[in-house]
Amino acid sequence: VIPGRDLAPETRPGHRRQPFNNGWLWRDKILMGDLAVIVGEQGAGKTRLLTDWMARVTTGRAFPGSADPSHALPPSDVLVFNCADGFQQEVLDQVAQQGGDPERVLQVTTQLLHWGYSHSEFPDGPLPQPGEGVFEMPETRVRLHTQDILSKLWQFLVRRPSIRLVVIDQLKQHLRTDSDRVFEDLLLDLQVIARQTEVAFVLTQRPDAYRNGIGLKQYLKSSALQSKPRAIWQIGRAHV
């Protein structure tokens, strides 16, 4: 949970994000409003790489390749779609170990997006339950392909300009269907949201189980996944 805190004037709810670092998240690699993709086998190190990026964003440090502090954003918040068990250990603890601020990393749930649709602040503690005597487990497998959820995600970002990075870990886990058309449409919708809100989106992808490709082709069955991102990184396991 991101606690309440004083925000700089340019990041107060209702204000547009200011183009720090000439609009770059990572100078010359990822612009604010871009889609980027990280592909790799399970266990190859995608999450470890992402937690390094989250640590840099949450503490206002430049990305690799630049020692110039002006090449960094001010400390900002990160929104993470991750439905795997152990979010605390696998993500938040890793962000802290890499010198980041885990209190600026917020795990997305369906309930959070619904709540955020009618609120402008960050939740300060557990979200209220829907009714007396009702306990609702947080739903971390957010069904991103529905227009209702996409609309609420857009609204959540617009109202919280301190968020400058959205991470969607294992994008296909947030779909209820294997339809190629639905996947293509979702990528286009995410690109629109990224551009309209000026937030960088980073997606991760494992090899496509339905394609016997070689190299990057096994990850990029989707034509939109090949054409829409600004950059695609492939993470490989170290061989010893």
Side-chain angles (χ1 to χ4, degrees):
V1 172
I2 298 178
R5 59 179 174 280
D6 293 331
L7 300 176
E10 67 273 1
T11 62
R12 290 189 184 282
H15 288 246
R16 290 178 59 85
R17 290 169 181 82
Q18 298 301 306
F20 294 102
N21 195 21
N22 293 323
W24 292 98
L25 175 74
W26 185 353
R27 183 63 68 97
D28 299 326
K29 288 185 170 59
I30 304 176
L31 274 167
M32 305 305 298
D34 274 347
L35 286 183
V37 177
I38 300 174
V39 299
E41 300 276 357
Q42 183 175 2
K46 298 185 297 298
T47 301
R48 183 172 180 79
L49 176 65
L50 282 171
T51 54
D52 173 73
W53 292 8
M54 293 180 210
R56 295 174 186 275
V57 170
T58 58
T59 53
R61 288 182 282 139
F63 275 66
S66 176
D68 187 343
S70 70
H71 289 179
L73 296 170
S76 305
D77 299 323
V78 180
L79 201 61
V80 183
F81 291 80
N82 181 302
C83 56
D85 293 334
F87 185 78
Q88 176 70 47
Q89 294 77 20
E90 298 297 325
V91 176
L92 298 182
D93 289 353
Q94 289 296 320
V95 169
Q97 288 179 19
Q98 299 189 62
D101 183 356
E103 291 191 338
R104 300 198 78 136
V105 178
L106 185 62
Q107 184 181 24
V108 182
T109 65
T110 301
Q111 293 89 337
L112 175 68
L113 294 181
H114 288 319
W115 176 87
Y117 193 71
S118 56
H119 296 77
S120 296
E121 69 278 11
F122 288 100
D124 188 8
L127 293 175
Q129 292 298 317
E132 185 176 353
V134 177
F135 177 74
E136 188 177 89
M137 288 292 294
E139 185 180 1
T140 58
R141 191 181 294 270
V142 181
R143 302 305 179 184
L144 270 171
H145 59 283
T146 67
Q147 288 303 311
D148 176 61
I149 287 295
L150 289 171
S151 174
K152 287 181 168 62
L153 172 60
W154 178 87
Q155 187 72 31
F156 197 92
L157 294 173
V158 166
R159 289 181 171 179
R160 295 160 182 84
S162 60
I163 298 173
R164 289 190 170 89
L165 174 62
V166 172
V167 172
I168 306 178
D169 199 13
Q170 307 305 334
L171 176 60
K172 282 198 170 182
Q173 291 187 5
H174 296 280
L175 297 175
R176 196 184 291 274
T177 174
D178 288 327
S179 166
D180 291 342
R181 176 61 183 274
V182 171
F183 188 73
E184 296 280 313
D185 289 345
L186 173 59
L187 286 169
L188 295 174
D189 287 336
L190 292 176
Q191 183 185 46
V192 170
I193 292 173
R195 288 178 174 175
Q196 289 182 346
T197 61
E198 299 174 321
V199 174
F201 277 61
V202 177
L203 322 175
T204 74
Q205 179 87 345
R206 293 178 186 170
D208 195 318
Y210 302 99
R211 185 183 183 98
N212 295 320
I214 298 174
L216 280 175
K217 290 184 178 180
Q218 63 187 313
Y219 304 97
L220 304 179
K221 178 181 178 181
S222 160
S223 60
L225 197 58
Q226 298 177 54
S227 62
K228 298 306 176 185
R230 168 176 286 271
I232 300 172
W233 284 271
Q234 182 176 11
I235 308 300
R237 294 176 184 238
H239 295 283
V240 292

